[in-house]
Amino acid sequence: QVQLVESGGGLVQAGGSLRLSCAASGRTFSSSAMGWFRQAPGKEREFVGAISGSGGSPWYADSIKGRFTISRDNAKNTVYLQMNSLKPEDTAVYVCAARLSYSSSRYSKDYAYWGQGTQVTVSS
């Protein structure tokens, strides 16, 4: 069993930055690939980015590439999502997820554990 708790969301103006954190417990964190997803009201869940167990080769959705960065600190059992140059269309609930695999994936079906999410609101 894995527990995931996100933090760091909030209200920010367009062009601003936020850093989300996702603290994990309950399983060897370094063996789990981690993903970030988001869901805006009335829309389907959307892949944001993912990172492997070692932290190498993170990859991103085209919509956020160049603005968001995923990193992880396995010593702290935490994965981060640094979000820069935020836009109103980035407004959503951001959720982290853990795979039972070392390799990352962009597909939500590949993730076994999910956090509750943290709200990010970007005002224009």
Side-chain angles (χ1 to χ4, degrees):
Q1 193 74 5
V2 175
Q3 293 79 43
L4 302 172
V5 179
E6 301 93 338
S7 61
L11 174 64
V12 64
Q13 289 188 332
S17 298
L18 283 174
R19 187 196 196 201
L20 306 184
S21 299
C22 173
S25 62
R27 186 176 186 266
T28 303
F29 181 69
S30 61
S31 65
S32 297
M34 300 296 294
W36 283 99
F37 295 79
R38 67 186 183 185
Q39 189 164 17
K43 295 188 177 181
E44 294 186 352
R45 181 184 292 163
E46 176 189 18
F47 170 74
V48 174
I51 190 166
S52 68
S54 68
S57 303
W59 55 310
Y60 305 95
D62 289 342
S63 60
I64 57 87
K65 198 174 294 183
R67 299 188 296 121
F68 292 9
T69 303
I70 293 177
S71 61
R72 64 190 295 160
D73 185 339
N74 286 346
K76 296 182 178 180
N77 284 7
T78 302
V79 63
Y80 304 97
L81 182 66
Q82 177 67 45
M83 305 186 295
N84 299 328
S85 302
L86 282 161
K87 304 176 182 180
E89 52 263 43
D90 294 319
T91 295
V93 174
Y94 285 72
V95 184
C96 69
R99 285 199 76 190
L100 295 174
S101 171
Y102 190 80
S103 302
S104 57
S105 168
R106 68 180 299 120
Y107 301 106
S108 59
K109 65 178 179 63
D110 290 335
Y111 290 84
Y113 302 101
W114 295 81
Q116 292 298 309
T118 185
Q119 176 70 45
V120 171
T121 303
V122 184
S123 63
S124 58

